Amino acid sequence: MSPSFPLHGAHPHDDAVTFRVWAPAADAVTLALGGGPSLALSETEDGLFACTTDAAGPGTRYRFRLGDEGPFPDPAARFQPEGVHGPSEVIAPDAYEWGDADWNGIPREDLVVYELHVGTFTEAGTFDGVREQLAYLRDLGVTAIELMPAHDFPGARNWGYDPAAWFAPAHTYGRPEALRRLVDAAHQTGLAVILDVIYNHLGPDGA
């Protein structure tokens, strides 16, 4: 049976990675692996191109070429380690070991929401920096933290409302596992986490 995963992006499974990208205006799409080969993707249906290769795995950096144009980062990348103009990185979504098995959520009537900006809430300006302040927030009487948009964006600092990579946490705030650590620790501290997301538009640079 073939693995089941979302339609777009890079999806590690077994000892391979399946790459999928929607490029309906392209005649050909090539996968450029960092330090590895360039591979042609096959068009499957409705402008969707895909390939599966054992030459990539979690941590592999990659880009796409559309015909002679590019290379471009993956619009469905889970992480952009060098920013929104750089290569994308293959991320294993199930690699993190969660410790919040006892988390049951917060009843709606008990929600006391504290909205914060990851880049300005602490001097570090990172997910780990927020994690270190969870006990302080709990002691304030907060029961949920709402992170202002944390999609990746061009530059080092941004309010988050002009994202360029919808599915990748801002690399200046930390790697995806840092965001997972924050959510995990918040739950273990008794705090819910709400993500403010912007899916109705893209910013003017890097999208």
Side-chain angles (χ1 to χ4, degrees), residues 143-175:
T143 62
I145 58 172
E146 179 177 355
L147 305 183
M148 290 179 66
H151 322 272
D152 211 351
F153 48 77
R157 288 289 178 257
N158 189 290
W159 285 114
Y161 292 101
D162 54 353
W166 276 340
F167 307 103
H171 71 287
T172 57
Y173 298 166
R175 294 182 55 83

Side-chain angles (χ1 to χ4, degrees), residues 32-35 57 59-63 79 81-82 87-90 175:
L33 296 175
T60 298
R61 297 189 181 185
Y62 67 98
R63 289 171 166 165
F79 189 47
E82 299 176 29
S88 305
E89 181 178 327
V90 177
R175 294 182 55 83

Side-chain angles (χ1 to χ4, degrees), residues 31 63 101 111 128 149 184 193 207:
L31 170 68
R63 289 171 166 165
L111 284 173
D128 285 334
D184 198 7
V193 180

